[in-house]
Amino acid sequence: MILYIKLAWRNVWRSKKRTWITASSIAFSVFFACLMQSSQLGSYDNMIDNSARFFTGHLGIHQVDFWEDQIIDNSFDQQALFELDLTNPSILMGVPRLSSFALASHGDRTKGAALFGVSLEEEAAFSYLERKLIKGDYNTERGVLMAAGLAANLNLNVGDTLVLMGQGYHGVNAAGKYSVTGILKFPIPALNQGAIYLPLETLQEFLSAPNMISSYSILLEDSQDTEGMKAHIETILKGKELGVMTWQEMLPDLVSSIELDYYGGWVILIILYVVIGFGIFGTFLMMIKERTYELGILNAIGMTKRRVQIMVAIEIFLLIFLGVLLGVLMATPIILYFWSNPILLSGDAALAMEKFGYEPIIPFALNFKIFYNQGISIFIIALFLAIYPMLAIKQMKIIKALKE
Amino acid sequence: MKVIELKNLSKIYNPDTIPVRAINDVTLSVEEGEFTAIVGPSGCGKTTLLNMIGGLDISSEGSVDIGGVSINEMSESELTTFRLQHIGFVFQAYNLIPVLTAKENIEFIMVLQNRDAKTMQERSDDLLDRMGIKDQRDRRPSELSGGQQQRVAVARALASRPKFVLADEPTANLDSGSTEALLDTMAKLNKEEKITFIFSTHDQRVIDRAKRIIKLVDGEIVSDEPR
Ligand SMILES: Nc1ncnc2c1ncn2[C@@H]1O[C@H](COP(=O)(O)OP(=O)(O)OP(=O)(O)O)[C@@H](O)[C@H]1O
Ligand SMILES: [Mg+2]
């Protein structure tokens, strides 16, 4: 075995130029592919994180009918949760939320608004709501925090009074006057044009729904570990009129757009790999062509074809490994850098991203899976292409080879 | 003891298209310790005959026995292993593995035979010494002269202690000085260690050194004489 490796290693370095060309073309594609996948996975993580923090949580506990019919009557008493022990190392935190709709008026203007009753203090840690504050005070007992777009439409400013009208729990009328204590700016237009945040108790009072919440949103250590935790929580919730849903169930559009993008990325990579594959194949072709005589000699003096194949296979493996290693070594520092310093977009690109509700950044994911994916892909391609040299050796005729 | 026995051996190339009868009904045996030259004009079938003796090519008719074992029915990989164990080869040129040093080239065969490190070491040192290429042991083939390369090739062929060494025009690419030196070494190994050599040539100086001369014309033996 040592002999094979020695031979293979020296043969790899025999035509340095070709080795470098092949290895660097592999390295380049691995490098490019890793960077691309890192930014893809990074944006997915970011999108999932944003959506989970702002809307659904990684897991959401609701009254069983709530998701189908998101009305105030389908809320549940948070007391039910206090009785349960939801602590688990996989669970980072959870927050209660109550949501409803109402008409918001100021002067002669009226707009529809989405009301979110939250624990402001916990929300600051869960959805970083406090970071959206652009004016006024975040902490309020009786006031409301308004989305900037809505505030502008209603001609409201910090200190002004807002009238809310709607329907409360079990059809009671809900009406109240609240002072605007802060303005929030959201990148997502839907939120920015219609969201009003209130302290949970304030909203419960407005809706005549004391202690009621629509959802209890949970943030997990690992956004992908939803199924296991869902099952775990389901056993805890047994016997209650409560259900638990994963973000994948609650955000099917996000799941499908991520999948679409992910497979779209693979299509680009496959095209890249096909191009690189031709290059690798060319190298294999040369490797065999140039050395027919030499391989013939080896076979003649007593090296079985199986052994010749092993030698060439190790050579191929070393060459590919060199390329993959080089690519990973090149990509790692760059991914590391962008992982801790996401690219901030500006101008049109930023506006476009914001329009779709995303932060205008390109975050990178630091995930071993990326390197693994690319490494395995290249190896599979190489393995496939290596069929040719292996067959060529198998079919080699010594007499012919020695005449080369 | 007979190391090679050929009976009614023929080789027909392209039997289906334009048949070429390269070897025609050759019957011949070689005893241990011979120093035999196969001679004849270009195209007379020397290489074809040696290839069949060495199990590199299969005959169309007739049989080849090596040390009493028939190789006619062997599979390709059986033949390869047989060659490894019993036959030493020296080709006209570029015999050696370019990426291995002289010493490694000599040991290569023994590695394939799974010899232990000590045996290999002793054998390669001994052979390097006897071939007079001790100082070149760590050089790669590209750093050796043609004559030195051929000596390493002979050393490699001997490393496995084969029944005989086949050499197809081993001196064709050498100048007269190197030719003499290589033949001296081969003759000495033959004389002192009873190593059997069968080589082809059309170089008169080489023919003059042989102890038996088999002359081929158009694939047939026209004369077979001791000298
Ligand atoms: N693969 C082949 N297909 C067809 N004919 C062949 C093949 N190999 C050799 N021949 C023919 O067989 C005959 C013998 O060839 P061979 O190579 O054995 O001659 P040789 O005596 O070694 O010649 P040289 O001295 O030039 O090396 C020649 O007529 C040659 O053209
Ligand atoms: Mg010839």
Side-chain angles (χ1 to χ4, degrees):
Chain A
M1 204 60 200
I2 293 169
L3 176 79
Y4 289 124
I5 294 170
K6 195 200 292 184
L7 270 175
W9 178 252
R10 289 190 192 168
N11 276 324
V12 163
W13 293 111
R14 209 156 124 195
S15 44
K16 287 196 183 66
K17 208 162 141 196
R18 189 167 72 215
T19 294
W20 278 122
I21 289 172
T22 313
S24 51
S25 73
I26 294 169
F28 164 77
S29 62
V30 168
F31 172 77
F32 176 82
C34 284
L35 248 53
M36 183 173 131
Q37 279 217 327
S38 172
S39 74
Q40 278 186 303
L41 296 186
S43 7
Y44 306 157
D45 286 347
N46 194 47
M47 276 151 63
I48 294 165
D49 194 62
N50 277 341
S51 302
R53 284 180 181 278
F54 246 96
F55 303 111
T56 60
H58 289 136
L59 294 174
I61 298 175
H62 315 107
Q63 202 259 65
V64 285
D65 296 323
F66 177 78
W67 200 254
E68 287 295 303
D69 193 7
Q70 301 190 9
I71 55 169
I72 180 71
D73 287 354
N74 284 337
S75 53
F76 66 99
D77 192 329
Q78 58 185 342
Q79 205 60 42
L81 286 180
F82 294 157
E83 295 159 9
L84 304 172
D85 181 16
L86 285 173
T87 52
N88 185 291
S90 299
I91 295 178
L92 288 180
M93 64 184 300
V95 291
R97 284 165 175 170
L98 177 62
S99 56
S100 183
F101 290 92
L103 289 174
S105 320
H106 176 238
D108 56 356
R109 299 190 188 190
T110 301
K111 294 275 170 197
L115 306 181
F116 299 102
V118 297
S119 154
L120 287 173
E121 196 185 324
E122 290 177 84
E123 208 64 42
F126 196 95
S127 61
Y128 309 128
L129 186 64
E130 195 172 1
R131 296 184 193 166
K132 308 291 184 207
L133 189 83
I134 52 167
K135 237 182 189 176
D137 283 327
Y138 178 74
N139 288 307
T140 173
E141 295 246 326
R142 292 264 329 144
V144 302
L145 303 172
M146 291 202 71
L150 182 61
N153 281 338
L154 292 172
N155 205 9
L156 276 165
N157 218 324
V158 173
D160 292 345
T161 301
L162 160 85
V163 175
L164 288 177
M165 269 182 304
Q167 201 175 45
Y169 197 54
H170 289 311
V172 302
N173 278 328
K177 276 165 109 183
Y178 301 91
S179 74
V180 177
T181 58
I183 304 289
L184 304 168
K185 185 165 164 49
F186 297 104
I188 305 170
L191 275 181
N192 206 41
Q193 296 300 324
I196 298 178
Y197 278 82
L198 305 85
L200 182 58
E201 290 80 26
T202 307
L203 185 59
Q204 286 168 338
E205 197 177 294
F206 170 72
L207 297 168
S208 313
N211 285 326
M212 301 302 272
I213 58 175
S214 350
S215 65
Y216 186 76
S217 301
I218 292 168
L219 214 55
L220 297 177
E221 187 84 45
D222 175 4
S223 67
Q224 299 303 320
D225 182 30
T226 46
E227 284 307 321
M229 282 312 294
K230 177 186 169 172
H232 171 71
I233 292 174
E234 266 171 350
T235 58
I236 298 177
L237 295 178
K238 219 170 203 146
K240 310 249 176 214
E241 287 271 282
L242 298 176
V244 56
M245 293 176 79
T246 64
W247 66 265
Q248 290 97 330
E249 291 168 319
M250 294 183 279
L251 301 164
D253 289 351
L254 181 63
V255 172
S256 55
S257 71
I258 284 176
E259 266 175 10
L260 195 71
D261 189 83
Y262 186 65
Y263 292 119
W266 269 113
V267 170
I268 296 175
L269 292 186
I270 285 167
I271 293 169
L272 177 73
Y273 285 155
V274 167
V275 174
I276 298 297
F278 276 111
I280 297 176
F281 188 69
T283 302
F284 289 179
L285 213 72
M286 298 282 275
M287 237 158 98
I288 292 296
K289 254 258 105 26
E290 281 180 4
R291 276 166 54 200
T292 309
Y293 177 81
E294 191 183 321
L295 298 179
I297 292 273
L298 290 176
N299 191 202
I301 64 172
M303 193 174 190
T304 55
K305 284 183 175 179
R306 163 76 29 98
R307 285 173 150 180
V308 177
Q309 284 172 328
I310 293 173
M311 181 189 83
V312 172
I314 295 175
E315 208 175 308
I316 285 172
F317 175 83
L318 284 176
L319 182 62
I320 303 295
F321 184 75
L322 188 75
V324 171
L325 189 73
L326 215 65
V328 167
L329 286 182
M330 274 164 24
T332 306
I334 296 182
I335 290 177
L336 266 173
Y337 176 79
F338 285 124
W339 172 66
S340 50
N341 309 286
I343 300 175
L344 299 174
L345 292 176
S346 57
D348 288 348
L351 286 176
M353 294 262 306
E354 289 187 341
K355 249 207 175 101
F356 286 107
Y358 302 137
E359 282 180 81
I361 60 170
I362 301 181
F364 279 62
L366 189 67
N367 189 337
F368 179 71
K369 188 174 134 191
I370 298 161
F371 302 115
Y372 179 82
N373 274 348
Q374 304 321 318
I376 292 290
S377 307
I378 293 276
F379 271 108
I380 289 173
I381 294 166
L383 214 63
F384 175 73
L385 296 176
I387 293 173
Y388 169 76
M390 295 299 118
L391 277 183
I393 291 169
K394 186 155 188 267
Q395 263 145 30
M396 175 177 72
K397 292 264 171 289
I398 300 181
I399 303 302
K400 249 182 146 170
L402 292 182
K403 278 191 181 145
E404 291 277 317
Chain B
M1 201 185 89
K2 276 188 189 135
V3 288
I4 300 167
E5 186 158 29
L6 312 178
K7 277 188 198 138
N8 306 107
L9 197 68
S10 294
K11 178 73 190 182
I12 303 160
Y13 287 113
N14 313 322
D16 305 323
T17 51
I18 319 149
V20 180
R21 202 167 252 280
I23 289 294
N24 192 14
D25 198 26
V26 167
T27 297
L28 160 76
S29 61
V30 175
E31 295 287 326
E32 191 176 358
E34 284 193 18
F35 199 66
T36 297
I38 295 177
V39 305
S42 183
C44 70
K46 302 182 293 290
T47 297
T48 305
L49 185 62
L50 286 179
N51 284 346
M52 285 192 291
I53 296 173
L56 296 175
D57 201 356
I58 44 170
S59 61
S60 309
E61 293 158 13
S63 65
V64 180
D65 282 18
I66 304 295
V69 178
S70 167
I71 65 167
N72 290 42
E73 305 300 324
M74 286 188 184
S75 73
E76 197 183 280
S77 68
E78 280 171 343
L79 262 180
T80 309
T81 310
F82 189 85
R83 291 197 296 271
L84 174 66
Q85 305 297 356
H86 303 295
I87 308 173
F89 288 92
V90 179
F91 298 97
Q92 191 173 324
Y94 307 109
N95 272 285
L96 305 176
I97 302 162
V99 295
L100 298 183
T101 64
K103 184 173 150 66
E104 286 167 337
N105 260 290
I106 294 169
E107 290 178 359
F108 182 75
I109 293 263
M110 293 186 281
V111 175
L112 293 180
Q113 289 179 324
N114 294 322
R115 295 286 168 86
D116 61 87
K118 189 164 161 278
T119 312
M120 292 199 300
Q121 180 76 33
E122 282 170 9
R123 184 91 180 127
S124 63
D125 281 348
D126 178 43
L127 285 167
L128 281 162
D129 197 14
R130 275 194 285 163
M131 292 290 153
I133 40 175
K134 222 173 173 178
D135 297 340
Q136 281 80 31
R137 51 182 284 162
D138 292 323
R139 292 204 195 160
R140 294 211 183 169
S142 58
E143 298 157 344
L144 297 174
S145 74
Q148 288 167 338
Q149 285 182 33
Q150 288 305 74
R151 282 153 191 250
V152 177
V154 172
R156 181 184 65 187
L158 290 174
S160 60
R161 299 187 187 278
K163 290 197 166 60
F164 57 88
V165 175
L166 289 178
D168 191 7
E169 309 210 32
T171 59
N173 282 28
L174 302 184
D175 58 48
S176 54
S178 305
T179 299
E180 281 304 319
L182 185 69
L183 281 165
D184 286 345
T185 326
M186 282 165 60
K188 193 163 153 242
L189 284 163
N190 173 256
K191 190 159 175 251
E192 291 172 5
E193 301 193 29
K194 296 273 172 295
I195 304 225
T196 314
F197 280 95
I198 299 116
F199 49 91
S200 74
T201 185
H202 43 220
D203 181 339
Q204 193 55 48
R205 288 164 306 179
V206 181
I207 298 172
D208 290 343
R209 302 287 296 261
K211 292 199 280 192
R212 175 184 175 190
I213 299 162
I214 298 170
K215 190 159 198 264
L216 284 182
V217 172
D218 289 340
E220 293 182 34
I221 297 180
V222 293
S223 72
D224 182 352
E225 291 157 3
R227 253 176 37 96

